[in-house]
């Protein structure tokens, strides 16, 4: 049985109705014949299914419909068309600062967020020290939440969501919070969580992060589904090339071509970098006045780039 299943999910926003302009302005515009309603489809006929332990990476440029889709998965929004089947408890980190009270302490907010996720006081008592330790906030437990930096707030939100063992974990650009050490720790924690059978959805502009953590990919563009697949490397390569060329694929052949172009471009960039390094080394050798410097350079070439020495002797 699928843990998450989206069946032709489409989500529409309506702008210009009386909820936006107020009742008085609505009546005036209706009387004048100037009342207009505009529709905007954030997601259009999105379909995918995830099994236990899957990690889905949702990729796409800004405005692709990624965050809106996450809100449908987490139950915040109801699809305009289609339906979303969810089998399990959900912990969603969509807006990291939401659900916290700036006037309460870190300790109080930890229990508050836990309650919002549906966990008992007893359960939170057992997990509290672990949450604070992972968030690296041991010295800030009695400090008002509003005094924390944005990075600290993000670390706490991530720690609570990860350490309360949900069935489904939804992450929207949250593995990029904190310094390099915490990002590495967050990534390792995600791998540990997935190994335990939790199903995850990750939205991230870091394609390397998607490559490392995800076994399935959903590519969206302006609400439309470009592809849903377990061919992570192929689609990540194609997407990275799309970011350079803005050539949107329309079929499988286009995806493969983009991936080939990406591989070719990477190889050319690598070659160019190697040529630059070679030129620097040649300059060093030409300007060197001592045999020791020349010997050191040759030793470095022998270790790092032996093919250059072979070419020189040919």
């Amino acid at each position: 049985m699928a843990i998450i299943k989206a069946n032709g999910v489409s989500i529409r926003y309506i702008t210009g109705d009386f909820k936006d302009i107020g009742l008085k302005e609505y009546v005036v515009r209706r009387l004048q014949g100037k009342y207009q309603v505009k529709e905007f489809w954030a997601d259009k006929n999105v379909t995918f299914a995830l099994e236990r332990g899957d990690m889905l990476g949702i990729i796409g440029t800004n405005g692709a419909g990624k965050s809106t889709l996450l809100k449908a998965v987490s139950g915040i929004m109801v699809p305009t068309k289609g339906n979303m089947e969810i089998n399990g408890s959900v912990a969603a980190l969509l807006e990291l600062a939401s659900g916290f009270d700036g006037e309460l302490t870190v300790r109080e907010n930890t229990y508050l967020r836990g309650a919002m996720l549906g966990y008992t006081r007893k359960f939170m008592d057992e997990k509290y020290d672990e949450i604070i330790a992972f968030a690296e906030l041991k010295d800030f437990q009695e400090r008002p939440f509003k005094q924390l930096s944005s990075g600290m707030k993000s670390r706490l939100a991530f720690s609570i969501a990860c350490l309360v063992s949900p069935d489904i974990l939804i992450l929207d650009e949250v593995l990029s919070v904190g310094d390099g050490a915490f990002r590495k720790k967050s990534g390792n924690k995600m791998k540990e969580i997935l190994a335990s059978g939790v199903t995850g959805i990750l939205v991230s502009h870091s394609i390397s992060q998607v490559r490392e953590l995800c076994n399935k990919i959903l590519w969206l563009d302006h609400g439309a589904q470009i592809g849903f697949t377990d061919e992570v490397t192929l689609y990540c390569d194609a997407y990275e090339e799309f970011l350079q060329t803005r050539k949107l694929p329309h079929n499988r052949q286009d995806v493969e071509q983009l991936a080939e172009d990406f591989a070719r471009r990477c190889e050319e960039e690598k070659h160019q970098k190697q040529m630059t390094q070679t030129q620097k080394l040649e300059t060093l050798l030409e300007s060197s006045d001592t045999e020791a410097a020349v010997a050191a350079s040759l030793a470095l070439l022998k270790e790092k780039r032996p093919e250059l020495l072979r070419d020189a002797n040919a």
Side-chain angles (χ1 to χ4, degrees):
M1 180 180 66
I3 301 300
I4 302 173
K5 189 173 183 180
N7 302 297
V9 169
S10 297
I11 300 175
R12 177 186 61 189
Y13 289 106
I14 297 178
T15 60
D17 65 359
F18 72 90
K19 290 183 291 185
D20 295 324
I21 62 178
L23 181 59
K24 180 180 178 181
E25 183 65 18
Y26 165 75
V27 172
V28 171
R29 291 188 187 184
R30 289 284 293 186
L31 292 174
Q32 295 176 343
K34 297 180 179 180
Y35 177 67
Q36 295 181 340
V37 174
K38 296 181 180 179
E39 295 184 346
F40 169 70
W41 291 89
D43 290 299
K44 310 165 191 173
N45 196 32
V46 177
T47 299
F48 66 90
L50 300 179
E51 305 295 331
R52 177 180 170 85
D54 278 343
M55 182 65 167
L56 174 69
I58 304 181
I59 57 177
T61 55
N62 291 334
K66 304 184 298 295
S67 295
T68 297
L69 184 62
L70 292 187
K71 291 176 181 178
V73 176
S74 61
I76 296 174
M77 300 186 71
V78 177
T80 309
K81 296 181 180 179
N83 63 84
M84 189 76 70
E85 299 178 21
I86 306 297
N87 297 296
S89 60
V90 179
L93 291 182
L94 306 183
E95 298 175 6
L96 291 176
S98 65
F100 291 114
D101 188 320
E103 301 300 325
L104 298 179
T105 65
V106 169
R107 182 188 299 275
E108 291 166 336
N109 269 294
T110 301
Y111 280 90
L112 175 62
R113 175 59 73 91
M116 292 175 64
L117 292 173
Y119 296 101
T120 65
R121 177 62 181 253
K122 181 177 182 296
F123 182 85
M124 291 303 296
D125 285 341
E126 295 171 353
K127 289 287 186 178
Y128 176 79
D129 289 339
E130 188 179 355
I131 290 170
I132 294 299
F134 188 88
E136 301 171 6
L137 293 175
K138 185 176 180 180
D139 297 331
F140 299 88
Q141 298 177 66
E142 307 308 326
R143 183 171 296 188
F145 187 77
K146 64 182 180 182
Q147 293 182 5
L148 299 185
S149 67
S150 58
M152 290 177 175
K153 294 175 182 177
S154 300
R155 295 205 307 262
L156 181 62
F158 179 83
S159 299
I160 296 170
C162 288
L163 298 180
V164 292
S165 302
D167 298 312
I168 301 166
L169 184 60
I170 302 175
L171 306 168
D172 189 358
E173 294 291 355
V174 300
L175 294 184
S176 300
V177 302
D179 56 23
F182 189 80
R183 286 196 294 272
K184 182 178 180 180
K185 185 166 71 170
S186 299
N188 291 337
K189 186 62 181 179
M190 278 305 308
K191 293 177 183 178
E192 178 186 327
I193 290 172
L194 292 173
S196 71
V198 170
T199 302
I201 299 180
L202 170 68
V203 167
S204 175
H205 286 295
S206 171
I207 301 303
S208 60
Q209 201 172 72
V210 173
R211 290 178 187 272
E212 181 182 3
L213 294 174
C214 301
N215 69 320
K216 292 185 178 178
I217 290 287
L218 175 64
W219 182 352
L220 299 176
D221 185 80
H222 292 86
Q225 180 171 322
I226 305 303
F228 168 64
T229 178
D230 59 1
E231 296 178 284
V232 174
T233 299
L234 175 66
Y235 272 73
C236 281
D237 286 353
Y239 179 69
E240 291 209 60
E241 186 63 19
F242 160 74
L243 292 177
Q244 293 292 324
T245 65
R246 295 297 170 173
K247 294 179 180 179
L248 196 67
H250 299 289
N251 50 48
R252 169 76 183 203
Q253 184 177 354
D254 288 348
V255 171
E256 292 177 348
Q257 185 61 57
L258 282 171
E260 289 178 11
D261 293 343
F262 173 74
R264 187 180 304 110
R265 181 167 58 83
C266 289
E267 190 62 31
E268 290 174 354
E269 291 175 354
K270 179 181 178 181
H271 178 69
Q272 186 62 39
K273 183 178 179 180
Q274 289 175 342
M275 287 299 296
T276 301
Q277 292 173 338
T278 301
Q279 291 168 355
K280 288 181 179 179
L281 185 54
E282 288 175 348
T283 301
L284 174 64
L285 287 170
E286 290 172 357
S287 63
S288 177
D289 294 327
T290 67
E291 292 185 4
V294 173
S297 299
L298 289 173
L300 181 62
L301 275 175
K302 185 176 181 180
E303 177 186 356
K304 302 293 186 181
R305 297 292 306 283
E307 72 277 8
L308 292 180
L309 293 177
R310 289 195 295 270
D311 293 342
N313 293 326

